[in-house]
Amino acid sequence: MPFLALAAICFLNSLIIQKVFSVSRRSYLDWYISTGPFIGLALAAFGAAWKELDKNIGLVSANPRTYIIACSKLAGLPMFALGGHFKNTTGMNLWDIVASIPLITMFIVASFAWLVLIAPLQYFLFLVCAAPSRIVLRSKYRLRAHIEDQILYYSELRPETPEPTAGWDASMRGKPVTMANAFGALVLVLIGYLQVL
């Protein structure tokens, strides 16, 4: 049922986009393909600000219900945080309140727009482009990298090997959403390029 709900939202979005932008004759899919790489960059920037975005692995799930829940929580978290700051900040001056209200309102509208216009179609993109992320998340493979004298070294670790203190985990397991975004942006750029030909 969640799969059909996402497909239905995409269909409704397509009808709405055609009605609203009937002069330009752009379809919802055309709009998404042309703006998708920028959407991916925006999500990557959002992930940089919200450090734990890549731990929200529901965003790369093939299960539509899990994906919907992850997206809802992603959109809701900053709104919840901003509301909490408004309730618990002492000594706010009138200027900060007046300046914040339109900005926070725009942010809330943008979050809902992402949830309704972008997230449903992104599910179908990530169904394909997050496949490497899902493989990496299920894998027990361990790869450790470190830099010594400006040279990159890496080595595979056995499952029983304790976690080294030097270097970093280079298995890409810690960045599943970032990796899916990168593949998604690449696919959308290629599709856009092929449309031009």
Side-chain angles (χ1 to χ4, degrees):
M1 196 66 169
F3 185 88
L4 292 176
L6 287 168
I9 292 169
C10 288
F11 179 72
L12 287 173
N13 284 341
S14 180
L15 293 177
I16 292 166
I17 296 281
Q18 283 179 346
K19 289 284 183 199
V20 173
F21 299 109
S22 59
V23 177
S24 66
R25 298 181 187 218
R26 278 183 94 189
S27 73
Y28 176 48
L29 194 56
D30 288 337
W31 170 80
Y32 188 83
I33 289 168
S34 65
T35 57
F38 301 106
I39 293 165
L41 287 173
L43 193 56
F46 192 74
W50 294 85
K51 214 167 97 174
E52 304 297 317
L53 179 69
D54 274 296
K55 290 188 178 175
N56 189 0
I57 60 172
L59 292 172
V60 297
S61 177
N63 181 321
R65 184 176 184 279
T66 304
Y67 176 79
I68 291 168
I69 292 168
C71 287
S72 301
K73 290 188 175 188
L74 176 65
L77 177 64
M79 288 185 254
F80 192 81
L82 288 168
H85 288 301
F86 254 87
K87 283 193 313 189
N88 295 299
T89 300
T90 55
M92 282 194 286
N93 65 43
L94 183 61
W95 171 250
D96 288 342
I97 294 170
V98 170
S100 293
I101 290 173
L103 293 171
I104 291 172
T105 302
M106 286 189 297
F107 182 80
I108 290 169
V109 168
S111 294
F112 278 115
W114 177 82
L115 203 54
V116 174
L117 290 172
I118 295 165
L121 202 50
Q122 182 177 277
Y123 168 77
F124 295 101
L125 177 69
F126 276 16
L127 197 56
V128 175
C129 295
S133 297
R134 292 189 291 272
I135 289 170
V136 166
L137 286 169
R138 290 186 186 109
S139 170
K140 295 191 184 329
Y141 179 72
R142 296 172 68 201
L143 183 66
R144 196 76 186 173
H146 71 279
I147 296 175
E148 192 176 306
D149 296 325
Q150 300 180 347
I151 298 172
L152 174 67
Y153 295 95
Y154 51 92
S155 58
E156 296 175 327
L157 300 179
R158 298 176 65 84
E160 65 275 5
T161 306
E163 200 63 40
T165 54
W168 67 91
D169 176 10
S171 69
M172 298 169 52
R173 188 177 295 108
K175 297 287 183 184
V177 178
T178 302
M179 187 166 42
N181 265 324
F183 283 120
L186 176 63
V187 165
L188 291 174
V189 166
L190 287 173
I191 292 171
Y193 177 74
L194 291 173
Q195 281 183 330
V196 173
L197 293 179

